[in-house]
Short mmCIF file of all heavy atoms in Angstrom, two decimals:
data_model
loop_
_atom_site.label_atom_id
_atom_site.label_comp_id
_atom_site.label_asym_id
_atom_site.label_seq_id
_atom_site.Cartn_x
_atom_site.Cartn_y
_atom_site.Cartn_z
N ALA A 1 -9.08 9.67 14.27
CA ALA A 1 -9.65 8.85 13.18
C ALA A 1 -11.12 8.53 13.45
O ALA A 1 -11.97 8.61 12.56
CB ALA A 1 -8.85 7.58 13.04
N GLN A 2 -11.47 8.23 14.67
CA GLN A 2 -12.81 7.88 15.05
C GLN A 2 -13.73 9.14 14.87
O GLN A 2 -14.83 9.03 14.31
CB GLN A 2 -12.86 7.41 16.46
CG GLN A 2 -14.23 6.96 16.93
CD GLN A 2 -14.66 5.65 16.30
OE1 GLN A 2 -13.83 4.79 15.99
NE2 GLN A 2 -15.93 5.52 16.08
N LEU A 3 -13.26 10.26 15.38
CA LEU A 3 -14.08 11.50 15.31
C LEU A 3 -14.26 12.03 13.87
O LEU A 3 -15.20 12.66 13.58
CB LEU A 3 -13.50 12.55 16.17
CG LEU A 3 -13.54 12.27 17.68
CD1 LEU A 3 -12.83 13.38 18.48
CD2 LEU A 3 -15.02 12.21 18.16
N THR A 4 -13.32 11.74 13.04
CA THR A 4 -13.40 12.23 11.65
C THR A 4 -13.81 11.17 10.65
O THR A 4 -13.75 11.36 9.43
CB THR A 4 -12.03 12.83 11.21
OG1 THR A 4 -11.02 11.81 11.31
CG2 THR A 4 -11.68 14.05 12.00
N ALA A 5 -14.24 10.05 11.20
CA ALA A 5 -14.78 8.91 10.39
C ALA A 5 -13.82 8.38 9.36
O ALA A 5 -14.19 8.13 8.18
CB ALA A 5 -16.13 9.33 9.76
N ARG A 6 -12.57 8.29 9.71
CA ARG A 6 -11.55 7.66 8.81
C ARG A 6 -11.75 6.17 8.84
O ARG A 6 -12.08 5.57 9.85
CB ARG A 6 -10.13 7.94 9.26
CG ARG A 6 -9.77 9.42 9.44
CD ARG A 6 -9.90 10.11 8.08
NE ARG A 6 -10.93 11.12 8.16
CZ ARG A 6 -11.49 11.68 7.10
NH1 ARG A 6 -11.17 11.36 5.88
NH2 ARG A 6 -12.48 12.58 7.23
N THR A 7 -11.54 5.52 7.69
CA THR A 7 -11.87 4.08 7.54
C THR A 7 -10.65 3.21 7.29
O THR A 7 -10.81 2.02 7.33
CB THR A 7 -12.86 3.86 6.40
OG1 THR A 7 -12.30 4.41 5.19
CG2 THR A 7 -14.19 4.54 6.70
N SER A 8 -9.46 3.81 7.04
CA SER A 8 -8.28 2.97 6.78
C SER A 8 -7.08 3.71 7.25
O SER A 8 -7.10 4.91 7.54
CB SER A 8 -8.18 2.70 5.29
OG SER A 8 -7.91 3.88 4.58
N LEU A 9 -5.97 2.97 7.36
CA LEU A 9 -4.68 3.58 7.75
C LEU A 9 -4.25 4.65 6.76
O LEU A 9 -3.78 5.67 7.11
CB LEU A 9 -3.63 2.51 7.90
CG LEU A 9 -3.80 1.54 9.03
CD1 LEU A 9 -2.70 0.48 9.04
CD2 LEU A 9 -3.81 2.26 10.36
N ARG A 10 -4.45 4.37 5.49
CA ARG A 10 -4.10 5.33 4.44
C ARG A 10 -4.91 6.62 4.60
O ARG A 10 -4.42 7.71 4.46
CB ARG A 10 -4.29 4.70 3.08
CG ARG A 10 -3.83 5.62 1.91
CD ARG A 10 -4.05 4.91 0.57
NE ARG A 10 -3.44 3.70 0.49
CZ ARG A 10 -2.19 3.43 0.04
NH1 ARG A 10 -1.40 4.43 -0.32
NH2 ARG A 10 -1.71 2.18 0.03
N ASP A 11 -6.18 6.44 4.91
CA ASP A 11 -7.07 7.59 5.11
C ASP A 11 -6.66 8.39 6.34
O ASP A 11 -6.66 9.60 6.32
CB ASP A 11 -8.52 7.03 5.28
CG ASP A 11 -9.58 8.09 5.05
OD1 ASP A 11 -9.26 9.15 4.54
OD2 ASP A 11 -10.75 7.84 5.41
N ILE A 12 -6.31 7.71 7.40
CA ILE A 12 -5.84 8.39 8.61
C ILE A 12 -4.58 9.19 8.31
O ILE A 12 -4.47 10.38 8.65
CB ILE A 12 -5.58 7.39 9.77
CG1 ILE A 12 -6.89 6.75 10.22
CG2 ILE A 12 -4.88 8.06 10.93
CD1 ILE A 12 -6.64 5.52 11.11
N GLU A 13 -3.66 8.56 7.64
CA GLU A 13 -2.36 9.21 7.31
C GLU A 13 -2.57 10.42 6.46
O GLU A 13 -2.03 11.49 6.70
CB GLU A 13 -1.46 8.21 6.58
CG GLU A 13 -0.14 8.81 6.14
CD GLU A 13 0.63 7.92 5.19
OE1 GLU A 13 -0.01 7.18 4.39
OE2 GLU A 13 1.83 8.00 5.25
N THR A 14 -3.38 10.31 5.42
CA THR A 14 -3.68 11.42 4.51
C THR A 14 -4.32 12.57 5.23
O THR A 14 -3.92 13.72 5.07
CB THR A 14 -4.58 10.93 3.37
OG1 THR A 14 -3.95 9.82 2.69
CG2 THR A 14 -4.85 12.04 2.38
N CYS A 15 -5.30 12.28 6.11
CA CYS A 15 -5.99 13.37 6.81
C CYS A 15 -5.04 14.04 7.80
O CYS A 15 -5.03 15.26 7.88
CB CYS A 15 -7.19 12.77 7.53
SG CYS A 15 -8.23 14.00 8.26
N LEU A 16 -4.25 13.28 8.51
CA LEU A 16 -3.29 13.88 9.45
C LEU A 16 -2.25 14.73 8.73
O LEU A 16 -1.89 15.81 9.22
CB LEU A 16 -2.63 12.80 10.31
CG LEU A 16 -3.47 12.21 11.43
CD1 LEU A 16 -2.76 11.03 12.06
CD2 LEU A 16 -3.84 13.27 12.47
N ARG A 17 -1.72 14.24 7.61
CA ARG A 17 -0.72 15.01 6.89
C ARG A 17 -1.33 16.30 6.28
O ARG A 17 -0.62 17.30 6.15
CB ARG A 17 -0.05 14.15 5.83
CG ARG A 17 0.84 13.13 6.39
CD ARG A 17 1.76 12.53 5.47
NE ARG A 17 2.62 11.55 6.13
CZ ARG A 17 3.60 10.90 5.59
NH1 ARG A 17 3.77 11.10 4.27
NH2 ARG A 17 4.29 10.07 6.26
N ALA A 18 -2.59 16.20 5.91
CA ALA A 18 -3.20 17.43 5.32
C ALA A 18 -3.38 18.51 6.40
O ALA A 18 -3.30 19.68 6.11
CB ALA A 18 -4.55 17.10 4.70
N GLN A 19 -3.64 18.08 7.62
CA GLN A 19 -3.88 18.99 8.72
C GLN A 19 -2.59 19.43 9.40
O GLN A 19 -2.55 20.47 10.08
CB GLN A 19 -4.77 18.38 9.78
CG GLN A 19 -6.13 18.00 9.27
CD GLN A 19 -6.95 19.19 8.90
OE1 GLN A 19 -6.89 20.22 9.52
NE2 GLN A 19 -7.75 19.11 7.88
N GLN A 20 -1.52 18.69 9.26
CA GLN A 20 -0.29 18.88 10.02
C GLN A 20 0.26 20.30 10.07
O GLN A 20 0.52 20.81 11.16
CB GLN A 20 0.76 17.90 9.55
CG GLN A 20 2.00 17.80 10.48
CD GLN A 20 1.68 17.08 11.78
OE1 GLN A 20 0.85 16.18 11.78
NE2 GLN A 20 2.36 17.44 12.83
N PRO A 21 0.47 20.93 8.96
CA PRO A 21 1.16 22.25 9.07
C PRO A 21 0.36 23.30 9.81
O PRO A 21 0.93 24.23 10.39
CB PRO A 21 1.37 22.66 7.61
CG PRO A 21 1.13 21.45 6.82
CD PRO A 21 0.25 20.56 7.61
N SER A 22 -0.94 23.24 9.78
CA SER A 22 -1.75 24.32 10.32
C SER A 22 -2.29 24.09 11.71
O SER A 22 -1.93 24.77 12.66
CB SER A 22 -2.86 24.64 9.34
OG SER A 22 -3.67 23.51 9.18
N SER A 23 -3.18 23.14 11.85
CA SER A 23 -4.01 23.09 13.05
C SER A 23 -3.66 22.00 14.03
O SER A 23 -4.14 22.07 15.16
CB SER A 23 -5.47 22.98 12.65
OG SER A 23 -5.69 21.78 11.95
N ILE A 24 -2.93 20.99 13.63
CA ILE A 24 -2.66 19.91 14.58
C ILE A 24 -1.33 20.11 15.24
O ILE A 24 -0.31 19.44 14.89
CB ILE A 24 -2.77 18.53 13.89
CG1 ILE A 24 -4.09 18.36 13.24
CG2 ILE A 24 -2.54 17.43 14.91
CD1 ILE A 24 -4.30 17.05 12.57
N THR A 25 -1.24 21.01 16.19
CA THR A 25 -0.02 21.25 16.88
C THR A 25 0.10 20.36 18.08
O THR A 25 1.16 20.30 18.70
CB THR A 25 0.05 22.70 17.34
OG1 THR A 25 -1.12 22.93 18.18
CG2 THR A 25 0.07 23.64 16.16
N TRP A 26 -0.87 19.58 18.39
CA TRP A 26 -0.86 18.63 19.53
C TRP A 26 -0.06 17.38 19.21
O TRP A 26 0.32 16.70 20.10
CB TRP A 26 -2.28 18.27 19.94
CG TRP A 26 -3.11 17.78 18.84
CD1 TRP A 26 -3.97 18.52 18.09
CD2 TRP A 26 -3.18 16.47 18.22
NE1 TRP A 26 -4.61 17.81 17.11
CE2 TRP A 26 -4.08 16.50 17.17
CE3 TRP A 26 -2.57 15.31 18.45
CZ2 TRP A 26 -4.42 15.43 16.36
CZ3 TRP A 26 -2.81 14.22 17.70
CH2 TRP A 26 -3.77 14.29 16.65
N PHE A 27 0.21 17.14 17.94
CA PHE A 27 0.93 15.96 17.53
C PHE A 27 2.39 16.16 17.29
O PHE A 27 2.67 17.06 16.45
CB PHE A 27 0.20 15.23 16.36
CG PHE A 27 0.43 13.81 16.31
CD1 PHE A 27 -0.21 12.98 17.20
CD2 PHE A 27 1.33 13.27 15.37
CE1 PHE A 27 0.02 11.65 17.21
CE2 PHE A 27 1.55 11.92 15.38
CZ PHE A 27 0.93 11.06 16.26
N PRO A 28 3.27 15.49 17.90
CA PRO A 28 4.68 15.82 17.79
C PRO A 28 5.37 15.52 16.47
O PRO A 28 6.35 16.13 16.12
CB PRO A 28 5.30 15.02 18.91
CG PRO A 28 4.43 13.83 19.10
CD PRO A 28 3.01 14.36 18.76
N SER A 29 4.91 14.57 15.76
CA SER A 29 5.62 14.18 14.48
C SER A 29 4.60 13.69 13.47
O SER A 29 3.45 13.43 13.76
CB SER A 29 6.65 13.11 14.75
OG SER A 29 5.97 11.93 15.23
N ARG A 30 5.11 13.50 12.25
CA ARG A 30 4.26 12.96 11.19
C ARG A 30 4.05 11.49 11.39
O ARG A 30 4.95 10.78 11.84
CB ARG A 30 4.93 13.22 9.85
CG ARG A 30 5.02 14.64 9.55
CD ARG A 30 5.68 14.91 8.24
NE ARG A 30 4.80 14.47 7.19
CZ ARG A 30 5.02 14.70 5.88
NH1 ARG A 30 6.04 15.42 5.54
NH2 ARG A 30 4.18 14.29 4.96
N VAL A 31 2.88 11.01 11.07
CA VAL A 31 2.54 9.59 11.24
C VAL A 31 2.46 8.95 9.89
O VAL A 31 1.81 9.41 8.98
CB VAL A 31 1.17 9.53 11.92
CG1 VAL A 31 0.81 8.03 12.08
CG2 VAL A 31 1.16 10.20 13.26
#
């Protein structure tokens, strides 16, 4: 969130879910 300049929990969740299927294999589950 800090590196991608996310400003809210909703913003963090949306960004992580958008990236989840492809490039974020380091994260074990959906947040």
Side-chain angles (χ1 to χ4, degrees):
Q2 184 71 32
L3 291 174
T4 57
R6 303 295 116 199
T7 56
S8 67
L9 292 176
R10 186 179 305 270
D11 197 13
I12 295 168
E13 176 191 35
T14 303
C15 188
L16 284 173
R17 286 194 180 185
Q19 300 292 326
Q20 192 73 31
S22 59
S23 62
I24 303 183
T25 57
W26 49 265
F27 205 73
S29 63
R30 295 179 69 169
V31 179

